[in-house]
Amino acid sequence: MKTKPIIVIILSLLISVSSFAQTKTNLDVIYKLIDRSVPKADSILGTKQTINLSFTSSSTLEVLKPKIFQAFSEHGYSLTASTVELNPAVNYTATSLKVEYKNPFSDGLFGGLMLEREISFNCSLTITNADKTIKSFSYTESQIDTVKLDEISGLENQTLPFTQSTIPSTPLLSNLWEPIIVVGTLIVTIVLLFSIRSK
């Protein structure tokens, strides 16, 4: 009798955990990659300090500018618009951003169709120090995970083209296996039922 309430509690916890484990949108992942890119400046600048930050990108990626400024600020840098020579000038260039869906596969026998999602972000940092020395480097941040096919429309932002990508065609055989297995199981069940009754 005591196990019944415990089972109910465990089931309710599992349901609540699964409901909160939502897949991050493509824009959320892009923001995460930007956050991971900012500490790269530490290796050149050394300590957190006041910097004159500028941003360069194509027109489509210009909307990422506020996030990049926020990321530097949250990472401990003080941002200034003045061109005081004592402050290092940091130019953050967003070179390219790509969202790609690939390798569709079925999630179990009767599960939905899953896709591999890869988001890669290329950028470069050019830092001009007070002594006029210039240092620059470029790098790529990427993340690969899996998403459900039927939730892709909710992961993309329709107003931001760089969060969208084409969905690959699903293999024909993977779509046929489930109906074949269901029909085959029904035929075997009916044959067994009638053969047992005839005996």
Side-chain angles (χ1 to χ4, degrees):
M1 296 293 283
K2 290 181 180 178
T3 57
K4 212 172 191 181
I6 293 171
I7 292 171
V8 171
I9 291 169
I10 291 171
L11 285 174
S12 62
L13 283 172
L14 288 173
I15 291 169
S16 64
V17 168
S18 64
S19 64
F20 285 118
Q22 276 191 319
T23 307
K24 287 184 180 293
T25 65
N26 293 351
L27 189 60
D28 288 336
V29 174
I30 291 165
Y31 283 171
K32 181 182 172 185
L33 296 178
I34 290 171
D35 287 333
R36 279 175 22 194
S37 73
V38 170
K40 309 280 184 182
D42 296 352
S43 60
I44 296 177
L45 291 169
T47 58
K48 305 292 190 296
Q49 53 188 297
T50 301
I51 60 172
N52 180 16
L53 181 63
S54 59
F55 175 70
T56 308
S57 74
S58 62
S59 57
T60 54
L61 299 181
E62 186 68 27
V63 294
L64 296 176
K65 182 177 181 178
K67 172 58 187 174
I68 288 161
F69 275 64
Q70 179 190 358
F72 272 91
S73 181
E74 289 177 350
H75 194 61
Y77 289 99
S78 298
L79 307 182
T80 179
S82 70
T83 55
V84 177
E85 293 188 358
L86 294 174
N87 299 324
V90 178
N91 179 252
Y92 188 109
T93 304
T95 312
S96 67
L97 179 58
K98 185 178 181 184
V99 176
E100 187 178 8
Y101 305 113
K102 52 188 177 180
N103 303 327
F105 64 95
S106 182
D107 184 25
L109 184 58
F110 298 105
L113 201 65
M114 304 286 289
L115 292 165
E116 192 176 280
R117 172 179 67 174
E118 181 176 5
I119 300 179
S120 56
F121 178 56
N122 298 323
C123 64
S124 64
L125 280 173
T126 303
I127 299 172
T128 307
N129 290 306
D131 60 359
K132 299 300 182 184
T133 59
I134 298 173
K135 296 177 182 177
S136 65
F137 60 93
S138 58
Y139 56 91
T140 301
E141 293 285 351
S142 62
Q143 177 172 310
I144 300 173
D145 57 7
T146 54
V147 295
K148 293 179 181 176
L149 176 65
D150 57 5
E151 67 181 11
I152 284 179
S153 60
L155 300 178
E156 298 180 336
N157 188 320
Q158 298 307 312
T159 60
L160 300 174
F162 60 81
T163 67
Q164 303 165 28
S165 183
T166 56
I167 299 171
S169 58
T170 57
L172 183 63
L173 285 176
S174 68
N175 293 338
L176 291 175
W177 274 116
E178 288 180 12
I180 289 171
I181 291 171
V182 171
V183 171
T185 305
L186 285 173
I187 291 171
V188 169
T189 305
I190 292 168
V191 169
L192 285 173
L193 179 68
F194 280 106
S195 63
I196 290 169
R197 288 187 67 184
S198 64
K199 290 180 182 179

